[in-house]
Amino acid sequence: MMQLDQWKCPAPEEVQEGGDAAWEVRIREIQGNLLVASVIQVVLGGTGMVGLLLRFIGPVTIAPTIALIGMGFTSAVTDFAEKHWGVAAFTAAMVLLFSLWLGKLRVPVPSYSKENGCHLTRFPVFIVVSVLLAVGLGWLLCLILTVSDALPTNSTEPAYRARTDISLNVVNTAPWFKFPYPFQFGMPTVSLAGFFGMFLATMSSILESMGDYYAAARVSGAPPPPQHAVNRGIAIEGLSSVISGMIGAGHATTSYSGNVAAIAVTRIASRRVFQVAGVILVLLGVLTKFGAVMTLIPDPVIGGLNAVLLGTLIAVGIATLHFVDMNSPRNVTVIGLTFMLGLAIPQWVNAKPGRINTGDEKADQVLMVLLGTPMFVGGLLGAILDNLAPGTGEERGFTKFQQKMTSHTGPLTEQQKADEQSDVALTYDLPLVSACLRRIRCCAYVPFLPSFKGFFAPKSEKDENEKPVAANGKAVGYENQTYEGDSL
């Protein structure tokens, strides 16, 4: 949206303190459009309409969508790294060094457990904190170059953005604490063109998030998410976006694909880690000084980091194609055309504003947002071609993809099926309440609850699947039964 003429950054004289400055009018319109589009996203996820799309989206669609996310952000690498290619290369090299060469090196660190008390344990420090170490060393290098006056002081030179002192005024003027509150910039406004732009961007985000869920499961070694988990994830993203719109963040909240790449690099996929990280982020978000300090990170350091993370993300997407028969001319044609047009069309649209001219300004804005997003163009094209072109389920990758990424190559025994059902339940069930939800028959029809088995499942299948599955793979009855350990 920012590439449209009406949304370009205002002139310096339009930026002022107090009053209805240009940015305040724009942020209120963005808030209103975001709120309405996000409410629709909550409805799409909560009613299960998003889950229905999974019947038509397979590896041929998901792989280009994920890969195009990383490919579409190549400018995010070059725009930051070009400020100082040496620093960017150093940061990227440090990430590779820690994650690839030193990843298996376990360093003795102090630890504590109830069984052994205080003791030393060997921990893979380098691979766990490879990103933080690389950023820290890149930042330190820029600090040394800044103190030694090796970097230019003229703001017009690109290498100036590698200095660590150009945003010190932000740190000095930022308050220590500030809590964002709803509608702090005034009541939001809504425009038809802005809503359509936000809505189409929301649909693109939904498709991206669905790809992120499968990518995260793949790099984490977890079973693919079932329908109820996807529905719940999209609904919660919509709810988070509603909160973002209320407080005036200026953008929606979505699953960030770079985090999937970070999981692949650091090999950390523990939910407890991410829950603690979420709490820390909330606290640091209130601590305004911390956010101000983060603005001191030089641009080339971010560029070098993005080169590794986004490159890994592209590889994660392409790796999804191992489910697909790549000897099939059908698949080769569909995937190749999806990648080509997924890159070419957005590049053509964004290269020169005004290239889309239908005679209706609102329609032009909608098409600019839609066709200027690589993952939307590639994902939509891949889904259409994959469903229209003749092909078997095995050829399209659905057969292997729906085997939950297990090592089984032949027909599954009843015990193996039960074990896989147990793995899915352990991964995607809601803690503490799932057993109770399965006892309530009507919960089987709520699309975002773990007891949901799909709109098109036969009644007998639903009744059978409503029985909770224990860790040993055996169904646990309802009457006079207790659940063992953490089976659900």
Side-chain angles (χ1 to χ4, degrees), residues 27 41 43 58 82 98 108 115 132 145 147 155 163 175 188-189 231 281 327 384 410 431 433:
I27 197 66
Q41 181 176 355
V43 174
E82 68 179 359
F98 295 136
E115 295 78 12
L132 288 179
L145 296 176
V147 174
S155 60
R163 297 185 64 90
T189 60
N231 294 337
L281 287 174
N327 292 321
I384 293 175
V433 299

Side-chain angles (χ1 to χ4, degrees), residues 139-436:
W139 201 347
L140 178 62
L141 175 61
C142 290
L143 176 62
I144 295 174
L145 296 176
T146 300
V147 174
S148 61
D149 290 331
L151 296 174
T153 57
N154 187 352
S155 60
T156 60
E157 299 185 29
Y160 175 77
R161 299 297 304 176
R163 297 185 64 90
T164 58
D165 56 358
I166 58 179
S167 299
L168 288 177
N169 62 314
V170 178
V171 180
N172 295 331
T173 58
W176 279 100
F177 299 96
K178 185 176 182 180
F179 192 85
Y181 56 90
F183 311 125
Q184 55 186 325
F185 303 117
M187 291 303 298
T189 60
V190 180
S191 64
L192 183 61
F195 162 72
F196 274 111
M198 278 291 184
F199 177 71
L200 292 174
T202 299
M203 296 304 297
S204 174
S205 173
I206 289 175
L207 184 59
E208 175 187 353
S209 294
M210 293 169 68
D212 287 341
Y213 299 161
Y214 284 97
R218 174 168 173 73
V219 300
S220 304
Q227 268 196 27
H228 68 81
V230 175
N231 294 337
R232 187 164 60 248
I234 296 301
I236 293 299
E237 286 190 20
L239 180 61
S240 300
S241 298
V242 169
I243 298 175
S244 297
M246 292 175 61
I247 66 175
H251 53 77
T253 300
T254 184
S255 57
Y256 180 50
S257 306
N259 288 336
V260 180
I263 293 175
V265 172
T266 63
R267 302 175 193 173
I268 298 176
S270 169
R271 272 184 287 198
R272 294 291 179 266
V273 172
F274 285 93
Q275 289 164 359
V276 172
V279 174
I280 293 174
L281 287 174
V282 171
L283 297 177
L284 294 180
V286 178
L287 184 62
T288 316
K289 284 288 187 183
F290 175 82
V293 171
M294 291 297 100
T295 65
L296 299 178
I297 299 179
D299 286 359
V301 174
I302 300 176
L305 184 63
N306 282 340
V308 178
L309 295 184
L310 294 176
T312 305
L313 180 63
I314 296 173
V316 169
I318 295 176
T320 308
L321 293 175
H322 87 279
F323 295 107
V324 180
D325 180 10
M326 293 306 296
N327 292 321
S328 167
R330 170 203 184 272
N331 292 335
V332 172
T333 302
V334 171
I335 294 171
L337 184 62
T338 299
F339 272 109
M340 175 57 67
L341 296 184
L343 290 172
I345 292 178
Q347 185 180 16
W348 178 81
V349 170
N350 296 326
K352 183 179 179 182
R355 278 187 167 175
I356 297 180
N357 186 7
T358 63
D360 188 328
E361 183 179 357
K362 295 179 180 179
D364 293 343
Q365 295 174 1
V366 170
L367 291 175
M368 277 285 294
V369 174
L370 177 64
L371 299 179
T373 309
M375 72 282 294
F376 183 86
V377 175
L380 181 63
L381 183 61
I384 293 175
L385 295 177
D386 188 36
N387 285 278
L388 292 182
T392 64
E394 183 175 0
E395 185 181 14
R396 298 169 60 190
F398 274 95
T399 302
K400 293 182 179 179
F401 191 63
Q402 292 175 352
Q403 289 178 351
K404 305 185 189 308
M405 299 181 190
T406 63
S407 58
H408 304 295
T409 56
L412 300 180
T413 64
E414 292 299 323
Q415 180 64 41
Q416 290 172 333
K417 291 180 180 178
D419 290 341
E420 288 194 358
Q421 290 179 0
S422 179
D423 289 341
V424 173
L426 288 170
T427 305
Y428 297 105
D429 272 8
L430 295 173
L432 304 179
V433 299
S434 290
C436 297

Side-chain angles (χ1 to χ4, degrees), residues 73-85 87-93 95 135 161 297-311:
F73 281 102
T74 53
S75 60
V77 176
T78 56
D79 290 347
F80 284 98
E82 68 179 359
K83 304 300 188 298
H84 199 294
W85 286 103
V87 173
F90 174 79
T91 304
V95 177
V135 171
R161 299 297 304 176
I297 299 179
D299 286 359
V301 174
I302 300 176
L305 184 63
N306 282 340
V308 178
L309 295 184
L310 294 176

